[in-house]
Amino acid sequence: MVLKSDDVNYLIYRYLKESGFLHSSYIFQFESQICKSDGEMPNVEPGSLIRVLQKGLQYMDVETHLNEDGTARLCTAPFSLVGKHVCSVQPDSRAAAKASPSKSSATQRGYPLETSSHGGHTLVHDTKEKQAAVRSVADDDDSMQMDIDVPDTEKESRPMEAKSKRRGQTIDSAQVLQGHSASVYSCAWSPGSASVLATGAGDGTARIWDLSGKSPERDGIVLRHDTGAEAESQVDITSIVWNEQGTLLATASFNGQLRVWSSTGEPKQALRQRRAPIIAMRWNRKGSCLLSAYLDGYIALWDMQTGQMRHELRAHSGCVLDVDWLDNTTFASCGNDKAIRVWRDGETQPIRTFSGHKSDINAIKWHPGGKYLASASDDGSVKIWSLADSLVHDLIGHSQQVFMVKWLPRAEKAVLASASFDSTIRVWDAQSGSCLRVLDAHSKAVDSLSFSSDGRYLASGSFDRKVCIWSVKDGLLFKSYVADDAVHDVQWASKGRVAAAIANSQVVVFDPLSA
């Protein structure tokens, strides 16, 4: 038996990636250099590290409780990876365990003999099903209720169903796109067409799908990052983003490739002056400048007319985890150095620095009206900032890391949704700092959110394989869709349809307003 450090590192990398710790997995891959190992890395099954640890734990369990005569002591004390084990043996344990020592000792200590197909955060899973519920934070206080007067726009021809029919109805049918050969991490609808969808995956490709017809092209338009002299054996697509006009699509990969394509898949620019992994990208509103964030702490601004790098800034002492434009010249960045910095194009020093988070800042998002900047952190908090007053509100409520924040797409309102690893979504009033609702229908970490274009609905995606559709006005669970694997991203098109990126290499598309 040969145990190689590269094999162990690869299993750890896959566990981090499958469990949703995408930033941590990129950092670990970068530091361990597993992508530069000899030969291609194996395509192991999801959950491999958990299975190896579980088998080892079961062996240690049996070895610890095996008597010299081959019988097993029936111990009721839990056996875990960490902590010293102290036996609690029942008087008649030898007779009870004699028939099947290994299975008896394993099952009586509370961990299953089989693991799920998708990597999880713990070996011991709670067997009690969580009940879908929407908890009002202050049922008796009218001022705390969600009061969002959402107008009917393009949905006027599709009225809301009666309340009795809007309690978590399951969506049974969806269009499944199966061109990718590895986990799909991101999806993005074109602002220029409600039927054009872009996706990015771990197979080294991004794809553009035209869903205007009933039967789209099987593989879509394939945009390759895994070919050419700079290609490496393992190239994850880490970010995809359309410009606001829907005419250009930017795609980025873990090995630092940044490419720009037309809406029909024609290559326009190949931007590669840095070899560090790209974590996030954003276009400015005019589409004249593209901002890219790197794992080594730098950000770069690219001029789309010339295809050249306009500026390169050392933005953070650690990796940059997210960036977002306020307008055409001002943008913000955040990282694992616990800081948020606001920059202006043409200046080499930040115009503002916001401090207050106690751990990595995973996401930032400017309010549609530009009044506020929201941030989400591993410290479990959501913070609201303004350029005029610095920290406006410190929103406390989540019990674990907050992965994402999204604003209601209405400039006159200041309503924010946050997604957390505690399996809940919270809806906040950014002006008062109060929590309006806790949306609780998921059983695992929630890692993606998307509002419908008219602001009437909110879609959420989770590692529990579910996409939930929520009514923003009353906070009720409207509909849900159960995928075949963990959901990495959800995006709402401008006219009704929702796309979900799935860990099993699929992309599913459905219309929750007609399903």
Side-chain angles (χ1 to χ4, degrees), residues 8 51 94 132 138 166 172 179 293 303 401 421 429 444 446 457 479 493 513:
V8 176
R51 281 193 291 274
R94 295 181 59 167
R166 295 172 54 242
D172 297 322
D303 189 321
Q401 303 100 310
F421 275 42
D429 182 341
K444 291 186 179 181
V446 183
Y457 298 97
K479 290 184 180 179
L513 304 185

Side-chain angles (χ1 to χ4, degrees), residues 216-478:
E217 187 176 348
R218 184 180 183 278
D219 294 328
I221 301 173
V222 182
L223 316 177
R224 308 203 72 92
H225 274 255
D226 58 352
T227 59
E230 295 179 334
E232 299 172 5
S233 59
Q234 193 169 0
V235 184
D236 289 351
I237 304 301
T238 55
S239 182
I240 59 172
V241 60
W242 293 94
N243 64 355
E244 288 196 6
Q245 297 73 32
T247 56
L248 295 175
L249 174 70
T251 61
S253 63
F254 183 80
N255 64 359
Q257 296 179 14
L258 196 164
R259 296 179 179 177
V260 180
W261 317 78
S262 72
S263 59
T264 57
E266 298 175 358
K268 293 295 185 180
Q269 303 276 4
L271 313 176
R272 178 71 183 270
Q273 291 179 234
R274 309 197 75 256
R275 293 192 62 85
I278 299 172
I279 300 300
M281 294 187 301
R282 297 288 186 274
W283 293 89
N284 67 353
R285 294 183 178 180
K286 291 193 302 185
S288 60
C289 187
L290 180 65
L291 181 64
S292 55
Y294 294 84
L295 193 67
D296 61 0
Y298 282 83
I299 52 179
L301 282 81
W302 304 87
D303 189 321
M304 285 298 99
Q305 289 186 339
T306 64
Q308 300 299 312
M309 183 186 295
R310 184 186 299 174
H311 302 293
E312 183 182 41
L313 304 170
R314 181 59 189 264
H316 295 271
S317 58
C319 60
V320 186
L321 297 180
D322 200 12
V323 289
D324 195 36
W325 288 93
L326 171 62
D327 49 36
N328 287 313
T329 59
T330 306
F331 60 92
S333 64
C334 67
N336 66 352
D337 60 359
K338 311 173 190 176
I340 300 170
R341 294 186 172 89
V342 182
W343 308 81
R344 185 163 290 132
D345 188 10
E347 299 184 20
T348 58
Q349 296 297 321
I351 61 175
R352 290 297 299 271
T353 298
F354 298 137
S355 300
H357 280 295
K358 299 178 181 179
S359 189
D360 298 8
I361 303 173
N362 296 314
I364 51 175
K365 199 70 178 176
W366 289 101
H367 177 261
K371 185 177 181 180
Y372 301 116
L373 176 68
S375 59
S377 171
D378 276 355
D379 63 14
S381 73
V382 175
K383 298 187 189 299
I384 307 297
W385 316 83
S386 77
L387 289 177
D389 304 319
S390 195
L391 182 61
V392 178
H393 291 295
D394 191 2
L395 308 180
I396 304 298
H398 288 294
S399 61
Q400 294 186 39
Q401 303 100 310
V402 185
F403 191 77
M404 177 173 288
V405 285
K406 285 292 179 71
W407 291 97
L408 183 80
R410 292 183 61 186
E412 71 276 12
K413 294 285 185 179
V415 175
L416 179 75
S418 58
S420 171
F421 275 42
D422 66 6
S423 78
T424 69
I425 302 111
R426 286 180 176 258
V427 182
W428 310 87
D429 182 341
Q431 292 181 327
S432 67
S434 60
C435 181
L436 302 172
R437 298 280 182 182
V438 180
L439 311 181
D440 186 7
H442 291 290
S443 59
K444 291 186 179 181
V446 183
D447 63 344
S448 54
L449 295 171
S450 180
F451 280 101
S452 60
S453 60
D454 60 4
R456 293 178 62 192
Y457 298 97
L458 174 67
S460 60
S462 168
F463 300 159
D464 66 1
R465 304 185 297 127
K466 287 197 299 185
V467 177
C468 290
I469 309 297
W470 307 88
S471 168
V472 171
K473 187 174 183 63
D474 54 24
L476 290 178
L477 179 62
F478 177 52

Side-chain angles (χ1 to χ4, degrees), residues 69-74 92-102 104:
D69 60 358
T71 61
R73 298 187 298 277
L74 182 57
D92 57 345
S93 62
R94 295 181 59 167
K98 189 171 182 179
S100 180
S102 61
S104 172

Side-chain angles (χ1 to χ4, degrees), residues 46-63:
S48 293
L49 178 63
I50 297 300
R51 281 193 291 274
V52 170
L53 290 175
Q54 190 177 47
K55 294 293 185 183
L57 189 63
Q58 291 174 2
Y59 178 83
M60 292 170 59
D61 181 3
V62 174
E63 183 182 47

